Amino acid sequence: MSQFTERFDAKTYYLSTCYRCGGDILKAAERIITTNQGRIPKEMKAAADHAGNVTIIQAANRELSYESLVENITRHTGSWAVLARTGFHLDKIELLLHSQKIACRRTAGRSIWTTSTGDSLLRVFRMILNQNVDDSAHYALTALMKLQGDDLNEFEKRGAMNISAALYLLPESKGKQLLQVVTTVFADTINPVFIKRNITLLTAAIEQLVEEKKNLAIARSILKILEESTGSWHERLTMFVGRLTPTRENKELKLEPTVVVLTTLHGSKGLEWDNVAIVDCNVKSIPSPKVDTEEGIEEERRLMYVGMTRAIHRLELHTHGERSHYLDELLLDRLLPVKWVRYLADPNEPGYGPFSDINAA
C-alpha cells in the first residue's frame, strides 16, 4: 500500500472506526497487534455504545477447556462462534457439541466426520457396539475393508445376526483382520488400560487398510480423539456413532442465532457474532509453531486480531496447559479490563465455582 501511495501520489484515508465490537474488546485486540512493525499507524476507535466483555478462561486440560466452552454456550444468549487456529480442534468440538445436542455448523474447512475415512470409521464403531451388520455397515465394508461380490453378499446376510458367526465365510484379507478386531474389542470397560489396548488394536488394523497419507492422518486423528475422550468404552463409541446423522441435515442448517458456527480464524474474516470463543490459545497452537519468519509472526498477530474483533458483546479466550504468550501480554497490561478465571470442574477443589476468579498479579 505504501508503494502504491508513493508511486501514484495517492491520498490515503484511514478507516479507524470499528462499528462492531465493544470498546474493551477492541482495546484487547489492539494490544495484540500493536507490536507489528508493518502495520499502518492508526488509532482505532469503537463506535459501539457498549464496552463488551473479555475473559480468559484457564482450564487444567483440553477436556475441561471444552467443557467450560459448552457450559458458556448454554449459559449466554445470542449468536455464537467458536474459532480455532486449525480445523483439527474444531473436529473435536463439533463432536462434543453434537453429543450435547447443540446445533452447530462448520463454515470453514471440511469436517473429518464427512470424509470417506471418517464416515467409515464411525460405521466400524457402530459394528463394535452392535456386533452385527446392518444397512449402515455396507459403506465401511466396501469403501474401507474392500469387500465385494459374493463374499460381501454372504457376509452381510450372515453378519446381520452376528459378525463372529459370519467371519469364516471370508477369505484371509486385511478387511477380515479388521472385522476380527471388531469382535475382539466389543466388551465394555472403564479400565483405561483395556481402552488403550482396544484403540491400539484398531489402529494397527486400520493402518493396514488405509494407504493414502491424507486418509491415514484422518484415521489417526479420529482414534486420537477417541482415546482422549472420557467415559467407558461403549460410552465413547456411542458418542461417536451419534455423529452418523445424515450429513445433509448439518449442511442445511440455517445460520440462525441458535446454531453455533465453527470456523477457523482465517474463516472468520468479515463476519460477526454476539459471542466469540477462541479455543486452544496455547503455546504450539496460537501462534502457529510452524511460523519462523518476521512476516509470518506479524501475520499470526493480524489473524488473532481478526478473530478477537469478530465479537460484538462477549469474547472468550480459552486456554489449558501452557497458555499462549498473547494472553500473557493481555494480562500484563494493567490498563486492559480483561477478566481471568479458572474453570474448576471438581466441587472439592478450593474456590470451586465452577468459574473462579484468579488474581492476575
Side-chain angles (χ1 to χ4, degrees):
M1 184 180 292
S2 59
Q3 293 177 355
F4 180 88
T5 302
E6 293 174 2
R7 182 175 179 181
F8 296 100
D9 193 25
K11 189 172 182 179
T12 304
Y13 295 90
Y14 295 115
L15 302 177
S16 57
T17 302
C18 177
Y19 294 93
R20 178 187 307 107
C21 52
D24 289 351
I25 296 174
L26 182 61
K27 289 177 184 176
E30 285 280 301
R31 179 62 183 83
I32 296 297
I33 203 174
T34 190
T35 59
N36 277 11
Q37 298 298 314
R39 188 187 182 211
I40 297 174
K42 61 179 178 178
E43 182 181 353
M44 292 295 296
K45 297 179 181 179
D49 57 2
H50 59 275
N53 179 282
V54 182
T55 305
I56 295 173
I57 301 176
Q58 180 95 36
N61 52 49
R62 178 174 285 118
E63 175 194 341
L64 291 177
S65 183
Y66 291 174
E67 181 181 307
S68 70
L69 169 65
V70 172
E71 188 168 324
N72 279 344
I73 288 175
T74 58
R75 177 184 296 178
H76 299 285
T77 59
S79 57
W80 269 94
V82 180
L83 313 183
R85 181 62 183 83
T86 67
F88 173 72
H89 299 121
L90 294 177
D91 292 327
K92 298 182 178 182
I93 294 170
E94 183 179 3
L95 181 66
L96 179 59
L97 292 177
H98 183 84
S99 70
Q100 298 296 317
K101 301 189 185 310
I102 297 175
C104 62
R105 179 176 172 184
R106 293 282 285 268
T107 62
R110 187 181 182 187
S111 168
I112 59 174
W113 311 112
T114 60
T115 63
S116 174
T117 301
D119 187 74
S120 293
L121 284 186
L122 294 179
R123 296 168 194 273
V124 170
F125 295 163
R126 183 165 182 165
M127 282 190 276
I128 295 174
L129 287 170
N130 297 339
Q131 286 299 298
N132 63 21
V133 176
D134 58 18
D135 291 340
S136 71
H138 181 82
Y139 185 77
L141 294 173
T142 55
L144 179 63
M145 303 180 207
K146 306 297 190 294
L147 300 187
Q148 56 186 335
D150 293 339
D151 290 338
L152 173 64
N153 295 333
E154 286 300 314
F155 179 77
E156 287 185 320
K157 188 182 300 182
R158 297 287 184 91
M161 296 296 293
N162 183 270
I163 292 177
S164 295
L167 275 175
Y168 78 92
L169 296 168
L170 297 176
E172 288 302 319
S173 67
K174 294 176 181 178
K176 182 177 181 178
Q177 290 174 12
L178 176 55
L179 286 168
Q180 289 171 331
V181 172
V182 166
T183 63
T184 302
V185 301
F186 76 93
D188 195 17
T189 178
I190 60 172
N191 190 317
V193 175
F194 293 155
I195 292 175
K196 174 70 173 178
R197 182 212 62 175
N198 291 347
I199 294 173
T200 299
L201 290 172
L202 281 170
T203 301
I206 290 167
E207 286 181 345
Q208 291 295 314
L209 284 165
V210 181
E211 298 177 354
E212 189 177 338
K213 287 185 178 180
K214 181 179 179 181
N215 292 332
L216 185 57
I218 290 173
R220 287 171 174 166
S221 294
I222 291 174
L223 292 167
K224 183 175 178 60
I225 297 172
L226 178 62
E227 183 177 354
E228 293 176 348
S229 300
T230 58
S232 71
W233 178 236
H234 280 191
E235 287 171 343
R236 298 184 192 202
L237 293 175
T238 299
M239 181 176 70
F240 277 69
V241 169
R243 192 64 191 82
L244 274 172
T245 50
T247 303
R248 179 186 295 180
E249 292 181 10
N250 185 53
K251 288 183 176 180
E252 292 180 352
L253 276 176
K254 295 181 179 179
L255 294 181
E256 299 174 345
T258 54
V259 176
V260 179
V261 173
L262 306 178
T263 189
T264 60
L265 293 173
H266 275 292
S268 71
K269 291 181 179 180
L271 303 173
E272 62 180 42
W273 298 272
D274 295 315
N275 309 280
V276 169
I278 303 179
V279 296
D280 290 271
C281 296
N282 310 316
V283 171
K284 298 184 179 180
S285 291
I286 297 177
S288 170
K290 298 179 181 179
V291 173
D292 57 3
T293 65
E294 189 62 35
E295 293 80 5
I297 291 172
E298 293 204 352
E299 176 59 25
E300 288 293 303
R301 287 185 176 274
R302 282 191 290 269
L303 203 54
M304 188 66 172
Y305 175 88
V306 168
M308 293 172 70
T309 54
R310 299 309 94 192
I312 299 174
H313 296 289
R314 181 178 182 82
L315 172 64
E316 294 182 359
L317 304 172
H318 290 260
T319 182
H320 58 274
E322 187 178 357
R323 63 178 176 265
S324 167
H325 63 264
Y326 289 170
L327 304 191
D328 289 331
E329 292 174 12
L330 296 179
L331 293 171
L332 289 171
D333 192 332
R334 298 290 181 162
L335 298 179
L336 289 177
V338 175
K339 188 178 181 181
W340 184 24
V341 301
R342 181 172 54 165
Y343 180 74
L344 303 173
D346 185 355
N348 295 318
E349 287 190 63
Y352 170 73
F355 291 95
S356 301
D357 288 328
I358 295 177
N359 184 353

